[in-house]
Amino acid sequence: MLNGHYDTVGVEGMPEPFSGAVRDGRLYGRGSFDMKGSVAAGIAAVKALVDQGAQLRGDVVVAAVADEEYGSLGTADLVTHTRTDGAIVTEPTGLAVCLAHKGYQWIEVETVGRGAHGSRFQLGIDANMRMGRFLAELERLERELRARPPHPLVGPPSLHAALLEGGSGLSTYAAACKLQIERRTIPGETETSTMAEIRGILDRLGAADPTFKATARAFFVRESFEVSPTAGIVKALKDAASQVLRAAPAEVGDTAWMDAALLSSAGVETVVFGPTGTGAHADEEWVDLSSVVQCAEVLAETARGYCA
């Protein structure tokens, strides 16, 4: 499978979001780099195999999927009805072989207070103040995460406090306060282990103050990804890339999340490889067209080798 997403992020602030202008061998516009250049490379690879009359022992599937920029519902559905032995997710990698990427978890913490008029301090319990205690502990955890021994390809785990909402009026004690956290995970971390860290903070705060009440839940989880350098699809890709590029490709990891994790979790041997460019989620975005051609050549040769 040659897998790539065709959805993009928004275009606000872009001077030429849809121009498709080509300057100095670069194609400009939203999605050119992330990642329609890669989808084009996958289509071109299959067209080359057909035009050459290649005789393969297996099928090559091009999967152009939606929703990778939010929840990856496209690939999540795809793996329920279309299965292959191997897959290349064609996210742009600068023609390097990507063997790992981070996962992420969206976590909601809610502190519980008691609403009361602002003049009745003896009745009110301020949920916002209690969230402040949690945030102070969360910042300590965030520093500790980044100080841990890093994964050799993707670095250390991290988190940030993304969205915060609490209170109902200036003269009212906040009855509830909600915080949404994004936790970036590395291979080896699980939902169980990360939630234990969050609940450990809540337990300590509750033990120090019986009026501290809070809950925590992970409401969306995407796993990290890692593949062995000796996996069959990786070896086939490296052999093809060395042949086309006339040099052994670099082996890298990425801090962003990709659909590779969903394919790997479904039992599909998966690796990531794509063209060169810049500007994912930025005001200026472009893909290098010569690298798209090279990527297509590598994908076609990989299919020959893997399906031989």
Side-chain angles (χ1 to χ4, degrees):
M1 179 187 296
L2 306 179
N3 178 290
H5 69 86
Y6 60 79
D7 60 310
T8 71
V9 293
V11 299
E12 184 177 359
M14 295 190 75
E16 49 174 336
F18 305 120
S19 73
V22 177
R23 296 189 295 272
D24 299 322
R26 299 171 175 178
L27 174 68
Y28 287 79
R30 175 59 82 223
S32 55
F33 175 64
D34 185 21
M35 55 173 289
K36 296 182 182 184
S38 301
V39 173
I43 295 169
V46 172
K47 184 179 186 302
L49 292 171
V50 172
D51 290 348
Q52 295 162 9
Q55 298 296 312
L56 306 180
R57 294 180 61 194
D59 295 328
V60 180
V61 177
V62 176
V65 297
D67 193 53
E68 191 274 348
E69 295 292 1
Y70 186 74
S72 288
L73 297 181
T75 294
D77 177 74
L78 176 72
V79 297
T80 67
H81 57 76
T82 303
R83 297 290 298 273
T84 59
D85 297 302
I88 301 174
V89 173
T90 57
E91 288 276 7
T93 63
L95 301 177
V97 175
C98 178
L99 301 175
H101 67 66
K102 287 187 174 182
Y104 68 93
Q105 300 171 7
W106 289 343
I107 300 167
E108 182 178 85
V109 173
E110 181 174 4
T111 50
V112 180
R114 183 165 63 231
H117 192 275
S119 65
R120 304 283 186 172
F121 66 85
Q122 70 276 23
L123 300 178
I125 296 177
D126 193 336
N128 290 345
M129 291 285 197
R130 279 148 181 78
M131 184 61 79
R133 300 179 198 173
F134 174 77
L135 283 167
E137 293 296 318
L138 189 69
E139 184 176 15
R140 294 188 183 94
L141 174 60
E142 192 273 336
R143 290 197 299 266
E144 192 267 323
L145 291 177
R146 289 189 286 113
R148 290 179 184 177
H151 183 276
L153 293 175
V154 303
S158 64
L159 64 80
H160 65 276
L163 297 170
L164 182 64
E165 179 183 10
S168 59
L170 282 170
S171 292
T172 305
Y173 276 76
C177 184
K178 291 183 179 180
L179 170 68
Q180 291 186 337
I181 302 162
E182 183 177 76
R183 171 69 153 81
R184 292 283 167 161
T185 58
I186 63 174
E189 292 188 306
T190 65
E191 179 183 349
T192 299
S193 66
T194 59
M195 289 305 297
E197 295 169 343
I198 298 296
R199 292 194 175 104
I201 294 175
L202 299 181
D203 289 344
R204 290 194 299 274
L205 292 172
D209 179 1
T211 69
F212 183 92
K213 305 294 183 185
T215 60
R217 67 184 181 98
F219 63 93
F220 196 83
V221 176
R222 289 303 191 203
E223 295 179 1
S224 58
F225 160 76
E226 186 170 27
V227 64
S228 169
T230 62
I233 190 65
V234 177
K235 293 172 68 177
L237 175 62
K238 290 194 293 187
D239 288 347
S242 297
Q243 177 182 334
V244 172
L245 305 177
R246 299 177 185 272
E251 296 181 11
V252 301
D254 204 325
T255 56
W257 192 84
M258 306 175 195
D259 280 351
L262 291 175
L263 290 157
S264 180
S265 293
V268 180
E269 198 174 66
T270 305
V271 68
V272 184
F273 181 84
T276 300
T278 193
H281 301 210
D283 289 347
E284 183 178 82
E285 180 178 356
W286 55 265
V287 67
D288 178 80
L289 290 176
S290 65
S291 75
V292 173
V293 174
Q294 289 178 304
C295 179
E297 293 174 345
V298 171
L299 296 177
E301 288 304 314
T302 304
R304 282 184 196 275
Y306 192 72
C307 298

